[in-house]
Amino acid sequence: ERFDPERFADDRRDDKVHRHAWDPFGGGVHKCLGLFFAGAEVKTILVHLLRQYEWTVRPDYVAPMSYASLPFPKDGQPVHLTRR
């Protein structure tokens, strides 16, 4: 609940408590019970979005890329959805 960058200091290394400390759904015996339910929810939403909408991007659009961690459009890649 507080900003503590010292948790990564060599004398503490709180991020190395266990190998799943930074996994979003945990791991091992402490794996999140909702892991598979969350995956099913995402798939269900995507099925509906892909079946019910036409996805388009402006023909002249060129994504301004950010390479801070992974290549990602700085503007979030605007997509226009039109109901079929």
Side-chain angles (χ1 to χ4, degrees), residues 26-83:
V29 297
H30 300 287
K31 190 179 293 186
C32 176
L33 292 173
L35 170 69
F36 297 109
F37 180 69
E41 281 183 311
V42 169
K43 290 174 188 172
T44 302
I45 291 168
L46 279 174
V47 164
H48 287 283
L49 286 173
L50 292 171
R51 285 185 174 175
Q52 296 177 13
Y53 291 90
E54 182 77 30
W55 297 53
T56 56
V57 178
R58 285 190 346 251
D60 61 337
Y61 176 75
V62 177
M65 300 300 287
S66 168
Y67 297 96
S69 60
L70 294 173
F72 188 80
K74 289 180 185 176
D75 62 357
Q77 176 120 21
V79 175
H80 182 72
L81 299 177
T82 308
R83 190 176 273 283

